[in-house]
Amino acid sequence: MTTTIKINPYLSGNFAPVSREITTHNLTVTGEIPKNLRGMFLRNGPNPQFSPIGEYHWFDGDGMIHGVHIEDGKASYRNRFVQTRGYCLEKEANQPLWTGMLEPPQMDNPYGPVKNTANTALVYHADRLLALWEGGEPHALTVPELDTLGSHNFDGKLMSPFTAHPKIDPMTGEMMFFGYSMVQPPYLQYGIISPQGDLLKTVPIDLPVGVMMHDFAITENYTIFLDLPFTFRPERMQKGESPLQFEHDTPSRFGIVPRQGNNEDVRWFESNSCYIFHTLNAYEEGDEIVLIACRMNATTVLGEVREETKESDIPRLHEWRFNLKTGQVQEQGLCDLPSEFPRINEQYTGRKNCYGYSGKMAESSEPKFDGIIKHDFEKGGFDIHHFGGHRYGGEPIFAPNPDADKEDEGWLLTFVHDEGSNTSELVIIDAQDFTASPVATIEIPQRVPYGFHGMWLAQ
């Protein structure tokens, strides 16, 4: 009798963690790094330091930042764990102390039921680099060393979790954020941080039930919240079901609030049931608020699969128009190709943009990207940059040319892993010559596992 050992796909191949933290200078460059490209490419992602207890979900791993510093045509690489309280306690114990999100919460864990992994995204605001995880507070890091300074609670003013996807208004310098709780009201809190990094205000927003809210959007004058039917209902546990489920028959709600408004000022718009992990951008046009995001019919991210969810987890770029005068909602698909991790030139955050970029989903049971899609919202249509056979990349980060006078004048950067040679590189693509070969590739001295969100930090 043979026993089949089930291999967790997120602990094998290029999803598997790396154990070494290294620093390497004078990396091998093929092609030529643009002279105007000076700064640091950074990317966060899950990287468990120990073999997990129980079943491992990709979202569980400890945060690790991979950074490539670029200057005068040369590049250096470093990777560092985010040294959260949980990471340090486990390192000291030389073993894992927490289970992951697919296991029951450890209410009897002396260190608390959940671990803030700081593994999801990054933001640079008020001269401070923060590693983000939506269930808790951010962690501050040094640049370029990527050493952890500690958790950051805005001088004790942060009273809620902090989203992995805050939005910075490029004109005012304000940073908008939200925090959600799935288990106790207020289920949503909305906050504003000054350009100098002071938390100015936090206001509660009423939701009928706790939901998983991963992202949101801003325009010049408004903030848009996504109250989508991926709900947490404790009563399901009494029936032996998961408390967190997608409700296919519940409409999606979009709450639009003036930037400085509060709960009384929110206007709610309903549309078809769907789920959104990531927004691309939003802006105002006449009486309408326009939102562009990657829409899925539903989500099975935590494993619940039913007959009607087999087409669920396929994200495609989509547009909603909310008319503030009539209360009507219009929506349409913008691209049939499955894609995720949408990004823009962030100088256009909250303003009308002509271009967007998203990772083109590969035909794979795991979330892999075999190219980048450049969406043209003015002319319609798209172009594709293919990474090549058995090569998979990540989120496309736009680095604007500092001398640019056009929105797409700049470069797209992403780590690409070659599964044939088991090597990783940073590719630099001219956004205006998008389908051509990269202008430069930078060889990374160790494998970079597939991860989550990144950023470009201009010098």
Side-chain angles (χ1 to χ4, degrees), residues 194-238:
S194 76
Q196 294 75 35
D198 300 314
L199 204 165
L200 301 176
K201 64 186 279 189
T202 307
V203 296
I205 305 284
D206 288 339
L207 300 180
V209 64
V211 296
M212 183 176 173
M213 190 184 299
H214 185 64
D215 202 353
F216 74 136
I218 64 167
T219 70
E220 187 178 351
N221 298 294
Y222 295 92
T223 298
I224 305 159
F225 295 111
L226 316 178
D227 180 17
L228 308 175
F230 192 26
T231 63
F232 186 95
R233 297 189 190 269
E235 59 267 26
R236 290 188 186 120
M237 287 194 282
Q238 291 156 5

Side-chain angles (χ1 to χ4, degrees), residues 390-459:
H390 306 291
R391 289 166 54 82
Y392 302 98
E395 182 181 50
I397 303 299
F398 187 87
N401 185 331
D403 297 335
D405 55 11
K406 292 188 175 69
E407 182 189 327
D408 63 343
E409 209 171 322
W411 303 275
L412 291 154
L413 289 84
T414 191
F415 286 123
V416 170
H417 181 74
D418 188 313
E419 295 198 344
S421 60
N422 199 28
T423 56
S424 298
E425 59 194 22
L426 178 67
V427 301
I428 302 170
I429 299 156
D430 185 333
Q432 292 186 317
D433 192 10
F434 182 72
T435 57
S437 298
V439 294
T441 58
I442 299 169
E443 218 174 280
I444 306 300
Q446 71 174 352
R447 184 174 63 78
V448 178
Y450 301 129
F452 299 143
H453 301 285
M455 65 172 297
W456 171 251
L457 186 51
Q459 198 142 317

Side-chain angles (χ1 to χ4, degrees), residues 162-377:
F162 192 95
T163 175
H165 295 292
K167 306 297 179 208
I168 298 171
D169 186 316
M171 302 301 174
T172 69
E174 295 166 296
M175 179 162 68
M176 277 51 72
F177 75 95
F178 70 91
Y180 71 90
S181 166
M182 286 193 280
V183 293
Q184 62 185 40
Y187 295 121
L188 179 62
Q189 304 215 46
Y190 164 46
I192 300 177
I193 294 162
S194 76
Q196 294 75 35
D198 300 314
L199 204 165
L200 301 176
K201 64 186 279 189
T202 307
V203 296
I205 305 284
D206 288 339
L207 300 180
V209 64
V211 296
M212 183 176 173
M213 190 184 299
H214 185 64
D215 202 353
F216 74 136
I218 64 167
T219 70
E220 187 178 351
N221 298 294
Y222 295 92
T223 298
I224 305 159
F225 295 111
L226 316 178
D227 180 17
L228 308 175
F230 192 26
T231 63
F232 186 95
R233 297 189 190 269
E235 59 267 26
R236 290 188 186 120
M237 287 194 282
Q238 291 156 5
K239 301 181 202 168
E241 297 176 3
S242 166
L244 187 62
Q245 288 183 24
F246 188 85
E247 298 178 4
H248 299 266
D249 302 323
T250 303
S252 295
R253 299 199 318 151
F254 297 82
I256 298 178
V257 61
R259 179 171 298 179
Q260 300 296 338
N262 57 35
N263 187 53
E264 284 68 48
D265 304 314
V266 185
R267 286 190 61 187
W268 290 102
F269 293 78
E270 282 193 3
S271 78
N272 297 326
S273 174
C274 71
Y275 196 69
I276 296 165
F277 271 109
H278 300 113
T279 64
L280 181 135
N281 197 22
Y283 58 89
E284 298 160 32
E285 193 167 66
D287 295 328
E288 293 181 320
I289 303 285
V290 181
L291 172 68
I292 300 175
C294 288
R295 178 194 185 279
M296 303 186 294
N297 287 341
T299 179
T300 63
V301 69
L302 294 177
E304 178 230 2
V305 181
R306 292 167 22 182
E307 196 54 43
E308 67 266 45
T309 58
K310 288 189 178 160
E311 276 289 298
S312 294
D313 298 292
I314 302 175
R316 294 181 175 91
L317 209 63
H318 199 82
E319 177 191 86
W320 292 258
R321 288 180 172 266
F322 308 102
N323 193 306
L324 297 176
K325 200 167 260 185
T326 66
Q328 287 185 304
V329 183
Q330 290 180 300
E331 57 176 301
Q332 63 168 344
L334 296 178
C335 180
D336 288 338
L337 289 179
S339 73
E340 246 296 356
F341 285 3
R343 297 296 294 249
I344 59 167
N345 176 344
E346 289 185 356
Q347 295 167 331
Y348 289 78
T349 299
R351 275 72 179 174
K352 186 169 185 178
N353 56 304
C354 292
Y355 302 104
Y357 310 90
S358 58
K360 179 182 171 293
M361 304 290 293
E363 286 188 24
S364 164
S365 52
E366 285 83 49
K368 292 184 186 178
F369 302 103
D370 58 12
I372 302 171
I373 305 172
K374 178 182 181 180
H375 307 270
D376 187 328
F377 302 122

Side-chain angles (χ1 to χ4, degrees), residues 10 54 72 126 148 326 350 444:
Y10 298 112
D72 300 328
T148 306
T326 66
I444 306 300

Side-chain angles (χ1 to χ4, degrees), residues 19 48-53 62 85-98 111 115:
S19 56
Q49 68 168 324
F50 295 108
S51 293
I53 307 170
D62 298 290
R85 169 180 171 267
Y87 169 87
C88 294
L89 284 168
E90 290 185 328
K91 188 173 187 183
E92 200 177 322
N94 199 33
Q95 63 178 16
L97 302 172
W98 281 269
Y111 306 109
K115 175 173 69 167

